[in-house]
Amino acid sequence: MKTPVVRIFDSTEDIADHFANILFRAVVSAGTWYKASVALSGGSTPRAIYSYLASLKGNLLEWNRIHLFWGDERCVVPESPESNYRMAKESLLDHINIPESNVFRIKGEEEPQYEAERYAETVSGLLPHENHIPKFDLVMLGLGEDGHTVSIFPDNILLFHSDRLFEATENPYNGQQRITATGKLINQAAMVVFIVTGRSKAGTAASLIEKRGDWKNYPASLVQPVNGELLWLLDEEAASELGK
Ligand code: 6PG
């Protein structure tokens, strides 16, 4: 595994601008015959990132050359305020020129086990494979204060090691059913980017980056790309415990 890279920014907008350039490079490296495959993260942090991407004018990002997926989804209808797809649709998809055929949402309204299998087949059929595992160009991840990422929580950390690409699970704090990518898929990606903002996550981020304290109990600690790059994009607040 390559040494993780940590970048600290003054603002979420600066993070978003850097992420836009990462996206741009993913499109370029995918070449003209393939589309860059990107797995979006959910929760609230990405909303500002997606809004910034939507605000970019001109052709910096050729969305027709990007296939968008999700790393996880809540098992709700796409119109639900809880839906990761709805958040991305409101903040990004409705404002960019991306063909509908380039957007592959996890259908939270379907039976979870069935949808986890269907979505795994969709991803597997659209992405190139390396060592028989689909390889994303870019996986965007968030981080919970408890060290969860996608929808793999500390109480079920072993789910990360599932042999499946996606699993049905639940948020242990409210019982909400989820569908989540697993480590088999995440760690196969060419690049994995954690985007973490806010003071509340500073302790968890520092523990993970500096491999101290409870870091091994955090599912996010298992994100170790086999051949890809791991990048942390933090704002000053989320980085405030580093080196302490
Ligand atoms: C989700 C996410 C989850 C999220 C973290 C951080 O569906 O909620 O995939 O892993 O990234 O919980 O969420 P916030 O950005 O809201 O803090």
Side-chain angles (χ1 to χ4, degrees):
M1 178 192 162
K2 296 186 178 98
T3 305
V5 173
V6 179
R7 302 286 301 266
I8 302 168
F9 298 85
D10 292 336
S11 67
T12 302
E13 184 168 330
D14 288 346
I15 292 177
D17 188 62
H18 189 77
F19 186 72
N21 282 285
I22 291 171
L23 266 178
F24 175 78
R25 289 198 295 272
V27 170
V28 170
S29 62
T32 50
W33 299 109
Y34 295 95
K35 297 208 176 6
S37 56
V38 178
L40 298 176
S41 72
S44 57
T45 301
R47 186 183 287 273
I49 307 291
Y50 299 159
S51 297
Y52 179 86
L53 295 178
S55 72
L56 294 175
K57 299 307 172 202
N59 267 337
L60 171 71
L61 288 173
E62 294 176 271
W63 291 103
N64 62 314
R65 294 174 63 185
I66 297 174
H67 273 170
L68 289 181
F69 302 83
W70 276 260
D72 70 331
E73 184 57 280
R74 292 81 180 278
C75 293
V76 295
V77 295
E79 298 78 17
S80 167
E82 284 288 301
S83 166
N84 288 335
Y85 168 76
R86 174 177 161 174
M87 185 272 280
K89 184 177 189 300
E90 287 174 342
S91 54
L92 178 62
L93 303 180
D94 287 349
H95 310 282
I96 59 174
N97 186 22
I98 187 166
E100 269 190 43
S101 58
N102 283 30
V103 179
F104 303 89
R105 74 177 179 89
I106 299 174
K107 296 179 179 176
E109 68 274 26
E110 298 291 344
E111 194 280 320
Q113 291 287 358
Y114 165 83
E115 180 57 15
E117 288 170 25
R118 184 200 71 85
Y119 199 70
E121 286 167 16
T122 298
V123 168
S124 193
L126 286 161
L127 270 59
H129 287 219
E130 195 171 272
N131 299 325
H132 310 295
I133 301 171
K135 181 175 183 176
F136 271 105
D137 292 301
L138 175 60
V139 172
M140 177 186 187
L141 295 177
L143 178 70
E145 292 172 38
D146 63 354
H148 82 260
T149 192
V150 280
S151 289
I152 299 179
F153 294 84
D155 76 320
N156 193 7
I157 191 170
L158 294 179
L159 191 67
F160 191 92
H161 300 296
S162 167
D163 193 41
R164 298 171 190 265
L165 299 176
F166 285 86
E167 287 273 13
T169 184
E170 68 174 38
N171 176 336
Y173 304 109
N174 61 13
Q176 183 184 61
Q177 291 197 291
R178 300 279 188 99
I179 292 167
T180 186
T182 65
K184 180 174 183 178
L185 189 59
I186 293 168
N187 283 339
Q188 184 71 353
M191 175 174 276
V192 180
V193 181
F194 276 105
I195 297 182
V196 187
T197 61
R199 182 75 187 75
S200 68
K201 300 184 182 173
T204 306
S207 179
L208 284 158
I209 290 167
E210 296 173 347
K211 292 184 169 51
R212 55 184 168 84
D214 288 339
W215 75 284
K216 286 185 178 176
N217 298 329
Y218 299 148
S221 70
L222 298 173
V223 175
Q224 301 171 19
V226 177
N227 295 310
E229 297 176 60
L230 177 58
L231 177 60
W232 289 83
L233 305 182
L234 310 175
D235 68 359
E236 297 279 357
E237 289 186 297
S240 59
E241 293 290 321
L242 288 175
K244 287 201 173 161

